[in-house]
């Protein structure tokens, strides 16, 4: 059995989008996926990519992924990684692939002198929460995630300062 973690390659935007759709289905959020293959290709491989993707290959088959981007902590004065998506296909869970992807990202942080690796998890996802805690993750219960999208985003952008 062989595991390889690698960067997504040009031409794999469709694969990345497939993983995104599978994750959205698992999270009961399929109705929120608007991204196209072209959107993903541009974000990962365009002129100035700001998005990164690690692919987990098991015996040569792509079976999981982690999509991330750099963030910045003003408190530490250093960059970090914000993990947007982490997903391993159900047929390959329990083999340490999710852990391997997180280890890969942690090494990216350490190797670059970045301050932290952070992400969000749905509050109903008890198996993932337990898994993350087992790796040393701390749940930030005193922070609430905020989001402005769609018409509310347009309305906010149109307000006078």
């Amino acid at each position: 059995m062989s595991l390889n973690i690698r960067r997504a390659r040009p031409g794999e935007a469709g694969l990345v989008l497939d993983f995104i759709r599978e994750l959205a289905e698992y999270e009961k959020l399929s109705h929120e996926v608007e991204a196209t293959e072209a959107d993903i290709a541009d974000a990962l491989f365009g002129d100035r990519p700001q998005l990164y993707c690690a692919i987990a290959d098991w015996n040569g088959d792509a079976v999981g992924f982690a999509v991330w981007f750099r963030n910045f902590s003003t408190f530490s004065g250093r960059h970090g990684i914000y993990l947007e998506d982490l997903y391993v296909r159900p047929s390959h869970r329990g083999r340490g692939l999710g852990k391997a992807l997180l280890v890969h990202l942690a090494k990216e942080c350490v190797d670059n002198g970045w301050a932290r690796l952070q992400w969000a998890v749905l509050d109903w996802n008890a198996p993932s929460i337990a898994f993350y805690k087992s790796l040393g993750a701390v749940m930030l219960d005193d922070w609430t995630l905020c989001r402005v999208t769609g018409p509310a985003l347009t309305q906010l952008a149109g307000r006078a300062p």
Side-chain angles (χ1 to χ4, degrees):
M1 301 297 170
S2 170
L3 170 63
N4 181 47
I5 306 287
R6 62 174 177 81
R7 278 222 172 157
R9 298 183 284 252
E12 291 186 318
L15 170 66
V16 173
L17 185 57
D18 287 344
F19 282 137
I20 292 167
R21 288 179 176 145
E22 290 174 35
L23 173 61
E25 185 175 327
Y26 171 75
E27 293 180 337
K28 301 171 184 67
L29 296 170
S30 294
H31 61 282
E32 291 192 17
V33 177
E34 298 176 6
T36 66
E37 189 172 332
D39 293 332
I40 300 302
D42 186 54
L44 289 172
F45 311 113
D47 292 336
R48 294 178 46 148
Q50 300 294 310
L51 187 70
Y52 306 91
C53 180
I55 302 286
D57 286 330
W58 183 261
N59 291 330
D61 294 326
V63 297
F65 83 138
V67 172
W68 61 276
F69 53 90
R70 286 191 323 164
N71 61 9
F72 189 84
S73 167
T74 56
F75 287 14
S76 73
R78 295 185 290 154
H79 284 283
I81 286 178
Y82 186 85
L83 173 62
E84 180 67 21
D85 291 327
L86 176 70
Y87 178 75
V88 174
R89 288 188 166 141
S91 60
H92 287 77
R93 291 184 188 153
R95 297 179 182 175
L97 281 71
K99 180 179 178 182
L101 285 161
L102 287 169
V103 166
H104 177 82
L105 295 181
K107 286 180 181 176
E108 185 87 19
C109 284
V110 170
D111 291 349
N112 286 289
W114 297 341
R116 63 185 175 200
L117 168 60
Q118 80 181 56
W119 62 93
V121 60
L122 291 166
D123 61 1
W124 58 260
N125 195 343
S128 292
I129 292 169
F131 168 64
Y132 297 145
K133 284 182 177 180
S134 78
L135 298 176
V138 176
M139 302 299 117
L140 302 176
D141 296 330
D142 51 339
W143 289 84
T144 300
L145 188 63
C146 299
R147 179 180 294 166
V148 180
T149 64
L153 180 62
T154 303
Q155 183 181 15
L156 179 59
R159 287 189 177 173

